[in-house]
Amino acid sequence: MTQAPTALLIDFDGVLRTFDPSINAKIEQRYGLEPGTVLDVALEWDRLLPAITGRITRSEWLATVAAALAERVGGPQRAAELMEEWVVYPGVVSPEVLQFVRDVRAAGHPVCIATNSTVEFRDVLKSFDLVDEFDAVANSAEIGVHKPAKEYFLAACTLVDTPPARCMLVDDTDRMIRGARAAGLSAYRYTPGDDLSYPRRAFGL
């Protein structure tokens, strides 16, 4: 019989923080790029992996993106200008998801951010005034292992002092959901606009 979760692991980008793609799309179009091009290049695995495992900084990662795009936008200076504009938009925090986090904590359950991010991620939390909203932060760049590796999830569970069988991951990516389940956690796939009724019930809210 599946045990009810007593700790929550929740993804940041795509769940707690969301982005309006049209904002950066307008910037990309001014530089002659198809919407989504910068993100696609940034997320290419050989480029992303060093950033989310703490081997390079966010600035160094974004510099590799600029270098990859330079020829397409008119040279290194134009590429640097593109990236300066592209990084300005910080996205928005979902009030509904944040309220879910607060309700879980108010019910006595620890909540851990579970994110593949760069070494500067805690500065992002600070910029949104979210530092005190979580009991722990499982940042891949700090752990040195990224989602969906089993070692990542075990480390995240340890941060909230809860066995995997009693932890639930809420994430927006199938690969992460499968990885969490393989590591022994329960997992729920979030989609934009989700009312989170299923995980709420799981936590008895």
Side-chain angles (χ1 to χ4, degrees), residues 81-95:
E81 292 167 1
L82 163 63
M83 295 309 297
E84 285 178 12
E85 291 189 59
W86 190 80
V87 300
V88 168
Y89 172 51
V92 295
V93 170
S94 164

Side-chain angles (χ1 to χ4, degrees), residues 50-106:
I52 64 171
T53 52
R55 287 182 275 153
I56 62 174
T57 65
R58 181 173 184 270
S59 294
E60 290 169 331
W61 169 49
L62 294 176
T64 71
V65 179
L69 291 170
E71 198 171 302
R72 296 163 67 178
V73 299
Q77 182 59 39
R78 284 276 291 169
E81 292 167 1
L82 163 63
M83 295 309 297
E84 285 178 12
E85 291 189 59
W86 190 80
V87 300
V88 168
Y89 172 51
V92 295
V93 170
S94 164
E96 295 81 11
V97 177
L98 182 56
Q99 188 59 54
F100 168 62
V101 167
R102 290 172 172 170
D103 290 346
V104 171
R105 294 185 79 203

Side-chain angles (χ1 to χ4, degrees), residues 14-152:
V15 180
L16 188 61
R17 176 170 70 169
T18 59
F19 295 91
D20 177 350
S22 69
I23 292 176
N24 280 340
K26 292 173 184 175
I27 296 170
E28 291 169 309
Q29 287 172 328
R30 287 207 310 274
Y31 285 81
L33 298 175
E34 289 294 319
T37 298
V38 175
L39 186 61
D40 287 345
V41 172
L43 296 182
E44 288 173 358
W45 191 238
D46 288 347
R47 181 171 290 112
L48 179 64
L49 182 60
I52 64 171
T53 52
R55 287 182 275 153
I56 62 174
T57 65
R58 181 173 184 270
S59 294
E60 290 169 331
W61 169 49
L62 294 176
T64 71
V65 179
L69 291 170
E71 198 171 302
R72 296 163 67 178
V73 299
Q77 182 59 39
R78 284 276 291 169
E81 292 167 1
L82 163 63
M83 295 309 297
E84 285 178 12
E85 291 189 59
W86 190 80
V87 300
V88 168
Y89 172 51
V92 295
V93 170
S94 164
E96 295 81 11
V97 177
L98 182 56
Q99 188 59 54
F100 168 62
V101 167
R102 290 172 172 170
D103 290 346
V104 171
R105 294 185 79 203
H109 305 297
V111 178
C112 177
I113 279 283
T115 184
N116 283 341
S117 192
T118 64
V119 292
E120 300 87 354
F121 178 69
R122 290 178 189 268
D123 293 336
V124 176
L125 289 181
K126 195 178 298 183
S127 72
F128 283 106
D129 198 24
L130 292 173
V131 172
D132 296 327
E133 299 285 357
F134 306 97
D135 300 284
V137 175
N139 176 11
S140 60
E142 294 178 4
I143 295 170
V145 180
H146 59 85
K147 290 189 293 182
K150 181 178 182 180
E151 294 81 2
Y152 171 89

